[in-house]
């Protein structure tokens, strides 16, 4: 799946018609290159073999194509050309899989796309890599005039044709990658809320839902202007202020962060805010995934871990810190933390959307927040967004942004939590309360019992004393490490990380120690 050719996309123009009877897509897509491709014998795009190319043009002249498997080579004329090529591909076919489906709801049609990695090629020719962000795009859809077409960016126009169809144009003037270009077509009912960030600015928040779900949707989506305002304080200004933030009900029973218009499955609209955490997750993807896009899918945690963490932040804001901490602790199970966040094979989609990516990804941000402190951590998030706005990112981009604010290296943290799996297992059963002429202290031995290599982490220590309690922080980095901590009184109990800021394995029972054969 790697992109062998070096080519940059300036613009995509999708001009498509969907056949409700034959479940097929037909039309043409314009791909304008930002520079000459190298090598320059052809422009190589991605298009599934279930799609059939009818003709192709380069700068208005017919040319030939090579369509091998999911790769489509549009042959360029020999010799120099005055400007980077513009390709037009006329095609038709029946999309396979879940990437674009023809379904029904309440006896009405619904056609919707679902942009998982490497899925755009199932219904339109594109450079199907998150690294290939186009500077802009237009999506022009012809569909029966009884239906509403929702897509990315700003609504431009809709006109009815003599044949009973209508043509709807949406336009995107922010960088966008292929998988998050989306269409959703049905007999939508819609309503619009408005987000006011202050002054004269405002952002339309249009929602497209099946008529039978409109009342429940008004309830559920009513939270979004406040949620958006909350995330702006955490992540910085909404990246697509010139367009919109909407949600569209799609046929697929899932959810996906299509740029400015996430798809939201019918079962998620409940009318009782049951899935606000998903609304938070998809909204956060507009910063983490769309404005900042992973350069390749090995770094998928920068999308999913951040979006999942945003849903924890929303929980913290609405139900309090104790609930936030409890939710984080509940995810500290081996299924979540056993693996590494970094996915070495960027083509292995099955490895990308696991509890490790989503929940460990979120917990790594939770831990980093505690390492850096609240003020520095949230400044780092905003700095990361601002420094990389509309561009592609890797884990290094985030590490650099965090270090810029923290002022100290964080490589140790990213190494142990992003590039490696496992978790520390702390045994703090060995401690002694001391009293001498300098006052009360406690001598503590912290043992790391996990088989994986030793973790370095700052740890909160809670001392329970005869008259109250006290806290300290120690930097633990050895298999067995001894600390002496001042105490206000005689210590009666010692516990490590009492609030759950560090992913920990539970301590194994003492009888696991082997004494030879
Ligand atoms: Zn997500």
């Amino acid at each position: 799946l790697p992109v062998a050719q070096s080519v940059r996309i300036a613009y995509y123009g999708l001009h498509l018609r969907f056949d409700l009877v034959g479940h097929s897509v037909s039309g043409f897509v314009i791909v304008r290159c930002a520079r000459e491709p190298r090598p320059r014998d052809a422009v190589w795009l991605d298009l599934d073999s279930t799609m059939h190319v009818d003709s192709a043009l380069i700068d208005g002249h017919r040319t030939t194509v090579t369509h091998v498997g999911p790769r489509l080579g549009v042959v360029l004329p020999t010799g120099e050309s005055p400007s980077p090529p513009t390709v037009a591909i006329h095609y038709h076919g029946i999309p396979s899989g879940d990437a674009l489906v023809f379904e029904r709801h309440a006896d009405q049609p619904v056609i919707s796309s679902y942009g998982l990695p490497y899925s755009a090629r199932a219904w339109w020719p594109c450079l199907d890599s998150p690294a290939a962000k186009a500077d802009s795009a237009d999506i022009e859809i012809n569909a029966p005039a009884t239906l509403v077409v929702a897509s990315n960016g700003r609504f431009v126009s809709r006109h009815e044709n003599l044949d009973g169809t209508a043509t709807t144009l949406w336009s995107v003037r922010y960088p966008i990658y292929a998988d998050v270009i989306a269409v959703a077509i049905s007999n939508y009912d819609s309503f619009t809320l408005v987000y006011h960030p202050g002054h004269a600015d405002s952002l339309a928040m249009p929602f497209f839902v099946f008529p039978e779900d409109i009342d429940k949707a008004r309830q559920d989506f009513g939270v979004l202007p406040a949620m958006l305002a909350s995330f702006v304080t955490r992540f910085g200004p909404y990246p697509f202020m010139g367009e919109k933030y909407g949600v569209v009900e799609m046929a697929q029973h899932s959810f996906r962060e299509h740029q400015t218009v996430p798809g939201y499955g019918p079962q998620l609209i409940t009318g009782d805010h049951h899935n606000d955490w998903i609304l938070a997750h998809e909204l956060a993807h507009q910063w983490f995934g769309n404005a900042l896009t992973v350069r390749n899918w090995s770094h998928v945690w920068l999308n999913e871990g951040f979006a999942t963490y945003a849903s924890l932040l929303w929980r913290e804001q609405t139900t309090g810190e104790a609930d936030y901490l409890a939710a984080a602790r509940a995810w500290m199970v081996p299924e979540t933390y056993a693996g590494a966040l970094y996915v070495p094979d960027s083509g292995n989609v099955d490895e990308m959307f696991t509890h490790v990516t989503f929940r460990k990804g979120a917990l790594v941000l939770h831990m980093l927040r505690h390492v850096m402190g609240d003020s520095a951590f949230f400044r780092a998030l905003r700095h990361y967004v601002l420094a990389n706005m509309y561009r592609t990112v890797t884990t290094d981009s985030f590490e650099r942004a965090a270090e810029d604010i923290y002022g100290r290296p964080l490589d140790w943290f990213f190494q142990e939590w992003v590039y490696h799996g496992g978790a520390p297992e702390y045994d703090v059963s060995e401690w002694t309360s001391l009293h001498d002429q300098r006052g009360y202290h406690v001598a503590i031995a912290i043992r790391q019992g996990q088989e994986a290599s030793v973790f370095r982490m700052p740890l909160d220590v809670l001392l329970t004393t005869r008259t109250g309690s006290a806290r300290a922080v120690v930097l633990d980095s050895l298999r067995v490490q001894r600390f002496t901590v001042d105490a206000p009184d005689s210590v009666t109990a010692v516990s490590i990380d009492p609030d759950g800021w560090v992913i920990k394995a539970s301590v194994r029972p003492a009888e696991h120690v082997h004494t030879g054969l």
Side-chain angles (χ1 to χ4, degrees):
L1 296 164
V3 180
Q5 187 178 50
S6 164
V7 61
R8 223 178 66 69
I9 306 293
Y11 169 81
Y12 287 125
L14 286 72
H15 304 266
L16 302 178
R17 169 189 285 261
F18 296 93
D19 175 6
L20 293 173
V21 179
H23 291 189
S24 65
V25 53
S26 62
F28 66 99
V29 168
I30 291 173
V31 180
R32 195 162 72 230
C33 299
R35 60 167 189 245
E36 290 281 320
R38 264 177 276 171
R40 74 164 305 285
D41 52 341
V43 177
W44 282 98
L45 300 172
D46 301 292
L47 182 66
D48 271 1
S49 55
T50 56
M51 294 287 126
H52 303 283
V53 175
D54 301 311
S55 65
L57 298 100
I58 297 261
D59 301 324
H61 301 287
R62 282 290 283 265
T63 187
T64 53
V65 299
T66 312
H67 198 180
V68 186
R71 297 289 280 160
L72 178 70
V74 183
V75 177
L76 286 174
T78 52
E80 293 301 309
S81 60
S83 55
T86 296
V87 175
I89 296 143
H90 295 253
Y91 72 105
H92 71 275
I94 298 176
S96 62
D98 229 13
L100 189 126
V101 298
F102 293 76
E103 294 283 349
R104 295 189 78 76
H105 74 92
D107 217 27
Q108 290 284 329
V110 52
I111 305 164
S112 53
S113 67
Y114 179 43
L116 287 170
Y118 312 117
S119 65
R121 67 188 63 179
W123 59 284
W124 63 284
C126 57
L127 201 54
D128 202 359
S129 156
K133 293 182 86 164
D135 299 327
S136 65
D138 289 314
I139 301 108
E140 186 188 55
I141 302 296
N142 179 282
T146 52
L147 304 180
V148 173
V149 175
S151 187
N152 313 92
R154 199 169 54 81
F155 172 77
V156 177
S157 63
R158 180 181 194 272
H159 63 262
E160 301 204 353
N161 306 306
L162 293 174
D163 62 356
T165 65
T167 303
T168 306
L169 176 63
W170 290 87
S171 101
V172 177
R173 293 296 175 263
Y174 292 99
I176 189 166
Y177 72 99
D179 285 322
V180 291
I181 290 182
V183 295
I185 306 166
S186 193
N187 64 326
Y188 289 122
D189 205 343
S190 64
F191 62 98
T192 301
L193 301 175
V194 180
Y195 160 68
H196 290 287
H199 309 298
D201 283 357
S202 70
L203 179 80
M205 305 183 77
F207 304 105
F208 303 88
V209 295
F210 302 154
E212 62 270 25
D213 293 332
I214 188 87
D215 293 334
K216 289 185 289 178
R218 281 181 193 280
Q219 267 299 321
D220 286 353
F221 298 162
V223 74
L224 276 162
M227 198 181 265
L228 181 50
S230 162
F231 284 179
V232 164
T233 67
R234 290 307 202 188
F235 312 142
Y238 177 65
F240 308 109
M241 275 304 290
E243 296 182 343
K244 70 171 184 298
Y245 184 75
V247 175
V248 64
E249 189 167 2
M250 64 177 182
Q252 294 88 341
H253 283 238
S254 188
F255 46 94
R256 194 66 188 167
E257 70 261 26
H258 309 135
Q259 188 161 306
T260 70
V261 65
Y264 202 65
Q267 85 287 10
L268 301 176
I269 301 174
T270 56
D272 62 0
H273 295 279
H274 186 70
N275 295 309
D276 281 2
W277 68 276
I278 299 177
L279 293 177
H281 179 109
E282 296 311 310
L283 177 58
H285 269 311
Q286 303 306 313
W287 286 263
F288 307 109
N290 294 343
L292 278 62
T293 302
V294 291
R295 199 161 302 154
N296 63 63
W297 290 111
S298 292
H299 302 276
V300 60
W301 82 277
L302 295 175
N303 289 6
E304 301 305 341
F306 279 62
T308 305
Y309 189 60
S311 71
L312 283 186
L313 291 178
W314 178 247
R315 193 162 169 166
E316 181 180 19
Q317 175 165 334
T318 51
T319 56
E321 190 193 17
D323 186 53
Y324 160 88
L325 289 168
R329 281 195 302 269
W331 288 350
M332 292 177 186
V333 296
E335 186 191 16
T336 297
Y337 61 68
L341 288 178
Y342 180 80
V343 181
D345 177 1
S346 67
N348 189 345
V349 177
D350 291 342
E351 286 257 319
M352 285 170 203
F353 298 93
T354 64
H355 279 322
V356 175
T357 299
F358 285 74
R359 293 183 175 180
K360 182 180 173 184
L363 289 176
V364 164
L365 294 172
H366 171 73
M367 289 193 292
L368 186 61
R369 174 180 177 177
H370 196 57
V371 169
M372 296 177 71
D374 268 24
S375 165
F377 173 75
F378 288 110
R379 271 190 295 140
L381 284 189
R382 290 190 292 274
H383 174 55
Y384 169 57
V385 169
L386 203 59
N388 297 284
M389 186 59 96
Y390 308 124
R391 293 205 281 269
T392 60
V393 288
T394 64
T395 300
D396 275 350
S397 318
F398 179 55
E399 185 183 327
R400 270 200 304 277
E403 287 174 340
D404 282 351
I405 301 298
Y406 192 49
R408 278 165 278 172
L410 285 164
D411 188 54
W412 58 271
F413 178 90
F414 286 83
Q415 279 302 322
E416 63 191 23
W417 293 113
V418 175
Y419 295 100
H420 291 90
E425 185 186 282
Y426 297 114
D427 176 354
V428 65
S429 56
E430 189 191 325
W431 56 270
T432 312
S433 186
L434 303 167
H435 186 213
D436 59 25
Q437 64 275 25
R438 291 187 295 110
Y440 291 97
H441 328 279
V442 58
I444 307 167
I446 300 177
R447 289 169 200 281
Q448 296 190 25
Q450 73 282 1
E451 278 165 25
S453 50
V454 170
F455 283 76
R456 165 183 166 162
M457 280 301 279
L459 296 173
D460 292 351
V461 179
L462 175 66
L463 307 176
T464 307
T465 67
R466 285 181 308 188
T467 51
S469 66
R471 281 175 179 253
V473 178
V474 298
L475 178 62
D476 183 62
S477 62
L478 302 174
R479 184 63 72 179
V480 181
Q481 195 161 355
R482 293 172 197 283
F483 301 93
T484 302
V485 178
D486 289 346
D489 195 357
S490 181
V491 171
T492 57
V494 173
S495 68
I496 288 291
D497 186 32
D499 302 323
W501 286 101
V502 179
I503 299 178
K504 296 182 293 296
S506 56
V507 176
R508 285 174 290 181
E511 58 268 22
H512 81 276
V513 177
H514 297 282
T515 52
L517 293 177

